[in-house]
Amino acid sequence: MNETTTARTYCLTKAAHIETLPAFREMIRMACANHADIDEQTCYDLQLAVDEACSNIIEHGYAGMNPGSIMLELRLSPFPAVITITDFGHPFEPVDAPMPETEAALENPDISGFGLFFIYNFMDEVDYQPSEAGNHLILIKYLPSKAKADHSGIE
Amino acid sequence: MDMQATQRNSACVVMLDGSLDALNAPDAIRFMLSQVESGWNHLILDLSQVDFMSSAGLRALLIVLKECRYQGGDLRLVGPNPAIANILKITGFTGVMQVFDDVEQAASSFATV
């Protein structure tokens, strides 16, 4: 049976509050459920990267100002998955960092830094484009091999 | 997030149900630390009903683990789903915390202390 998978775009805009994190993750989960090529681990990776990025925006991007909104867009073509997260706070670029030492983090959990590690470890590409029209964080995840193989036969 | 604590031999078993994220981690930390303050320094955290854990959840584990050990005990984990088990492994948490398949095994490990 030939399965045709078409590109789809999912969007969600919510206030930048910690209470909205589950809604962003749920949008990712529901989108993944519509695409048979995306396995549970990949879906979890996408949810984790979005959760960590949105948490940073809420904690740092909108620090000291009235919280605005976070716009989440997920484009799922057969491959890859492209996530764009837009906010209107202070530019806060998530920088690539080595994985924290767990023993050291045990001494001082407040500086653990695992969130940034998750974003860079679970995503294949990370780009940040701040502008007056909003700060755009672009996360790209190449999907498992089955999706890549199918892609070659799709217009 | 639903949280409950029960006694199992010499340990307190904390069961969390939901997502251990930045929203719920503060409540989970308070709940677990309250068990330690009540004298339960052998803590078992049952993750079998936790569907998601972020870096905020990992930070919660570190805070509670640190307090348990400060009180002469330990925090041990039970039943993480495959995705959570994966992040525990790649972050090195499995090198500083013991993870068991079920509560019975975790409780037995405290009995041999």
Side-chain angles (χ1 to χ4, degrees):
Chain A
M1 184 178 78
N2 291 326
E3 180 180 349
T4 301
T5 305
T6 57
R8 288 190 62 180
T9 300
Y10 304 82
C11 301
L12 180 67
T13 299
K14 288 279 187 183
H17 292 297
I18 206 88
E19 290 82 3
T20 60
L21 288 176
F24 289 123
R25 294 199 306 268
E26 180 64 9
M27 191 205 86
I28 299 293
R29 194 189 67 77
M30 294 295 291
C32 290
N34 290 331
H35 292 256
D37 285 331
I38 300 177
D39 60 29
E40 287 188 14
Q41 182 63 56
T42 302
C43 183
Y44 192 94
D45 295 349
L46 295 172
Q47 290 181 79
L48 186 56
V50 165
D51 183 283
E52 300 291 356
C54 291
S55 294
N56 281 337
I57 291 168
I58 294 165
E59 183 177 358
H60 303 293
Y62 283 114
M65 59 191 293
N66 289 328
S69 58
I70 296 175
M71 301 166 63
L72 171 63
E73 178 187 288
L74 168 64
R75 179 176 171 80
L76 278 177
S77 54
F79 125 99
V82 181
I83 293 169
T84 303
I85 303 173
T86 302
D87 73 270
F88 306 92
H90 308 295
F92 181 78
E93 181 172 4
V95 295
D96 196 0
M99 192 189 81
E101 293 286 341
T102 307
E103 292 281 3
L106 180 56
E107 291 304 311
N108 189 354
D110 286 336
I111 56 168
S112 64
F114 288 107
L116 295 176
F117 169 72
F118 286 152
I119 292 173
Y120 278 87
N121 187 70
F122 288 118
M123 296 296 105
D124 294 305
E125 295 180 31
V126 179
D127 188 27
Y128 188 71
Q129 300 171 359
S131 76
E132 291 184 359
N135 308 307
H136 306 289
L137 176 64
I138 297 140
L139 309 171
I140 297 178
K141 174 79 169 176
Y142 295 100
L143 301 178
S145 56
K146 180 176 185 297
K148 292 180 183 177
D150 288 350
H151 181 65
S152 61
I154 294 175
E155 295 296 326
Chain B
M1 161 170 272
D2 293 328
M3 300 178 284
Q4 66 178 37
T6 56
Q7 181 183 351
R8 188 66 170 261
N9 300 332
S10 66
C12 174
V13 181
V14 172
M15 161 79 84
L16 303 180
D17 189 343
S19 298
L20 193 48
D21 59 2
L23 175 62
N24 295 320
D27 286 342
I29 292 169
R30 277 191 291 272
F31 185 76
M32 288 187 280
L33 289 183
S34 72
Q35 309 307 317
V36 180
E37 289 168 5
S38 299
W40 294 105
N41 61 6
H42 289 177
L43 216 58
I44 296 170
L45 177 57
D46 187 343
L47 295 170
S48 60
Q49 300 304 312
V50 173
D51 58 3
F52 178 84
M53 183 187 294
S54 67
S55 63
L58 292 181
R59 179 174 171 273
L61 298 185
L62 289 174
I63 289 171
V64 177
L65 173 64
K66 185 177 181 179
E67 184 61 21
C68 283
R69 289 186 176 170
Y70 182 74
Q71 299 295 337
D74 201 13
L75 170 67
R76 295 176 183 175
L77 308 179
V78 164
N81 70 31
I84 293 174
N86 183 48
I87 65 173
L88 291 172
K89 180 180 179 182
I90 66 172
T91 54
F93 271 58
T94 49
V96 297
M97 305 180 74
Q98 295 185 53
V99 183
F100 297 89
D101 291 335
D102 57 49
V103 170
E104 188 66 37
Q105 291 179 15
S108 297
S109 74
F110 278 123
T112 60
V113 171

